[in-house]
Amino acid sequence: MDTSSTRRPDPAGLATTVASLLPRARTELAELVAFKSVADEAQFPKSECDAAASWVADALRAEGFQDVAVLDTPDGTQSAYGHLPGPEGAPTVLLYAHYDVQPPLDESAWLSPPFELTERDGRWYGRGAADCKGGFIMHLLALRALKANGGVPVGVKVIVEGSEEQGTGGLQRYAEAHPELLAADAIVIGDTGNFRVGLPTVTATLRGMTLVRVRVDTLEGDLHSGQFGGAAPDALAALIRILDSMRAEDGTTVVTGLEEQAAATWEGLQYPEEDFRKDAKVLDGVGLIGSGTVADRIWARPAVTVLGIDCPPVIGATPSVQAGARALISLRVPPGTDAAEATQLLFAHLRAAAPWGARVSVEQIGQGQPFRADTTSPAYASMAEAMRVAYPGEEMQTSGMGGSIPLCNTLASLYPEAEILLIGLSEPEAQIHAVNESVSPQELERLSLAEALFLANYAESKR
């Protein structure tokens, strides 16, 4: 891409270009989705992630990026990086996405193969289509549209992470060791989503996360439930009691020491309960858990989730008292709460809740701090103007997100003057982290246009 001289692009020209590039974008997203890039060697070979990182690096080289590299990060994963110099005196914008994905879960529940991009009912289905391989394609579309309409008016750095979903912090630690690498005036994190399809949204807050494995042991080995049941302490029953201790009767998360955070309220865009029930596909007659508004519960308060339990499956189970059992637990923590402190409180809670003197061991697997953006920065004004054009008749909204992007706080710490914005393709219908994940091509088109317009607006604001 030649950025030696640029002119302010015509929005109509950008829109036409983005629309014309969608077929190519679909082809490229299909290639990227085909990599089974789950950053867990126990589930998929590391070669799948490595191949995805190489694909991203090759795509950056093809677009004229310099200093393209596949970076080996401390957690054993790879991140792809490239730099596109801008016109003299222009600001630099960092564009972020990640190529690693969640496991497909029950592949038989997918209506089409999870690693084969499939069009159905106006959406493109595949693991990572929205979260967040589509985010990288969005960045490419925006840059290509600018190139075709006068040139890219800013310097651009792109970083595409390889372990965001695992929360193991490889890129964070790499960035801390190489602070000059990702330095930028503004940062666009392409890993969130609109509040709903067609409503342009920036995400102002992210909950942090701690991921903990707990193990309970009570016996030297499993015992016959007829011979010993009724007196022998059952590790699985003990684990169930421990897990249940983390919820009040109404389902509110209860972790000793986090009571104040559990009563926090959200000020801003609200999430109507009927909309949430529809988005979450809650079954008729089943109530929501917790108290307060939906926005309070998912954006402003801690939330515990039991992600998995190791115990005998129903098929093949024997009549035995279990000697040991373990679970994987996620605790989401809101802005204003330190994730490390929350982890220690969770550890203490789990140990204190153990019945019958059961032995409890806890191990931290991953952690990410919560994040709050400065929505008063000039970059937000540039994005609001861009979204107003990309989504005619709609004004940019500001929402929270219950999920975590651990890198955000690292970037905010390393570059305190940088303006950080969060946008992306993961609106509710995308069903990220679930079976049948999908992306709306219309959202991809509009957000790519919005990002292109933002880069033009931002360059203009810095002149």
Side-chain angles (χ1 to χ4, degrees):
M1 293 182 183
D2 179 12
T3 58
S4 58
S5 62
T6 61
R7 55 178 172 79
R8 186 168 179 82
D10 172 49
L14 284 174
T16 299
T17 302
V18 170
S20 71
L21 290 171
L22 273 185
R24 179 182 178 185
R26 186 189 186 284
T27 298
E28 290 176 322
L29 183 57
E31 293 176 4
L32 198 48
V33 163
F35 296 111
K36 301 174 182 178
S37 50
V38 177
D40 182 357
E41 293 183 64
Q43 300 182 68
F44 291 95
K46 184 175 181 293
S47 59
E48 292 286 329
C49 285
D50 293 348
S54 295
W55 189 98
V56 171
D58 288 343
L60 293 176
R61 290 189 189 97
E63 296 301 326
F65 276 73
Q66 301 176 9
D67 306 321
V68 175
V70 175
L71 310 172
D72 293 316
T73 64
D75 65 354
T77 64
Q78 297 181 323
S79 294
Y81 168 82
H83 177 218
L84 187 69
E88 184 177 354
T92 297
V93 179
L94 174 68
L95 306 178
Y96 167 91
H98 64 85
Y99 67 79
D100 69 303
V101 298
Q102 286 288 332
L105 303 174
D106 181 7
E107 294 197 31
S108 66
W110 284 75
L111 299 179
S112 52
F115 296 104
E116 182 180 311
L117 194 70
T118 304
E119 185 166 357
R120 187 170 63 253
D121 300 325
R123 297 182 68 93
W124 300 343
Y125 287 80
R127 176 58 90 218
D131 184 25
C132 176
K133 293 175 176 179
F136 176 61
I137 299 300
M138 175 184 72
H139 295 326
L140 286 183
L141 272 175
L143 295 174
R144 286 169 179 162
L146 287 168
K147 176 187 176 184
N149 289 270
V152 180
V154 297
V156 175
K157 294 180 178 180
V158 170
I159 187 72
V160 184
E161 187 177 2
S163 59
E164 191 276 339
E165 298 291 8
Q166 297 300 314
T168 46
L171 181 56
Q172 291 112 277
R173 297 201 295 276
Y174 191 95
E176 289 166 351
H178 305 83
E180 74 291 342
L181 183 74
L182 304 182
D185 298 286
I187 300 169
V188 178
I189 305 290
D191 191 26
T192 60
N194 287 342
F195 182 69
R196 58 172 170 77
V197 172
L199 183 65
T201 310
V202 292
T203 300
T205 66
L206 300 169
R207 286 191 297 194
M209 177 196 70
T210 185
L211 196 62
V212 171
R213 185 182 293 136
V214 57
R215 181 176 178 87
V216 179
D217 293 288
T218 55
L219 303 165
E220 292 185 1
D222 294 353
L223 298 173
H224 190 287
S225 61
Q227 187 176 3
F228 295 97
D234 184 331
L236 179 55
L239 176 62
I240 290 170
R241 286 202 174 187
I242 292 171
L243 299 180
D244 185 59
S245 75
M246 295 187 294
R247 291 203 182 277
E249 187 66 26
D250 67 356
T252 296
T253 290
V254 177
V255 174
T256 304
L258 292 180
E259 293 86 357
E260 183 177 347
Q261 291 87 339
T265 57
W266 171 261
E267 301 294 335
L269 182 69
Q270 292 297 312
Y271 203 153
E273 183 169 327
E274 59 271 23
D275 292 347
F276 180 83
R277 291 185 65 90
K278 179 181 177 182
D279 292 340
K281 296 179 171 56
V282 180
L283 299 178
D284 289 344
V286 177
L288 303 186
I289 62 173
S291 61
T293 70
V294 170
D296 292 341
R297 286 175 262 181
I298 65 173
W299 297 336
R301 297 178 179 178
V304 69
T305 305
V306 179
L307 304 182
I309 299 178
D310 283 341
C311 59
V314 171
I315 297 177
T318 61
S320 302
V321 178
Q322 299 301 311
R326 65 178 187 168
L328 186 65
I329 300 167
S330 165
L331 176 64
R332 303 284 181 170
V333 294
T337 303
D338 181 75
E341 292 180 9
T343 300
Q344 294 307 310
L345 291 172
L346 178 59
F347 280 10
H349 181 103
L350 294 170
R351 294 186 179 110
W356 320 316
R359 297 180 182 179
V360 176
S361 60
V362 288
E363 174 188 8
Q364 185 173 12
I365 306 302
Q367 179 181 286
Q369 291 288 353
F371 173 78
R372 187 187 303 276
D374 177 11
T375 57
T376 65
S377 69
Y380 272 80
S382 294
M383 183 61 79
E385 181 184 346
M387 286 186 160
R388 192 176 297 117
V389 175
Y391 290 81
E394 298 286 355
E395 291 292 326
M396 183 181 79
Q397 301 295 314
T398 301
S399 74
M401 191 175 84
S404 307
I405 304 175
L407 184 65
C408 278
N409 272 291
T410 300
L411 296 176
S413 176
L414 289 175
Y415 319 116
E417 301 302 316
E419 304 170 73
I420 302 177
L421 301 98
L422 296 98
I423 63 172
L425 300 164
S426 298
E427 37 74 28
E429 293 180 38
Q431 294 190 176
I432 63 170
H433 292 205
V435 298
N436 297 310
E437 176 184 345
S438 67
V439 69
S440 162
Q442 289 77 29
E443 288 287 75
L444 175 59
E445 180 180 352
R446 287 181 289 210
L447 283 169
S448 298
L449 174 59
E451 182 168 282
L453 290 166
F454 161 75
L455 294 175
N457 293 343
Y458 189 67
E460 190 75 19
S461 73
K462 292 295 183 177
R463 286 179 182 167

